[in-house]
Amino acid sequence: MRLPIVTVRDYLLPGHVDSRSLVIASSNSGNTEEILALVSWLKRLGSPVVALTGDARSPLAQSADVHLDVSIRTEACPLGLAPTASTTAALAMGDA
């Protein structure tokens, strides 16, 4: 079976998302207003959502059908400005 794979790097989904579309949402905090609005819309459509977050108690993690924990202890940047460790954890989970 061939399934189309679509990558979206903003908060606008392509028009062909429906209840048969599996959506993987990645957010370190799981609290971003835009992604929560998007997931709310997806849930109304009946689309299953897999969330990768750094906080299992976040609204995104709680609203997803499946949550994958990609939490980290600290970011590599001593100032916490560059999300290197958290993005690497999410990429590694997605590649697993």
Side-chain angles (χ1 to χ4, degrees), residues 17-51:
V17 172
D18 59 24
S19 62
R20 299 168 297 163
S21 303
L22 170 66
V23 177
I24 300 172
S26 177
S27 168
N28 186 41
S29 71
N31 291 311
T32 309
E33 180 180 334
E34 295 89 352
I35 202 157
L36 294 176
L38 182 64
V39 168
S40 175
W41 180 77
L42 290 166
K43 298 307 283 181
R44 283 193 302 275
L45 270 179
S47 299
V49 175
V50 176

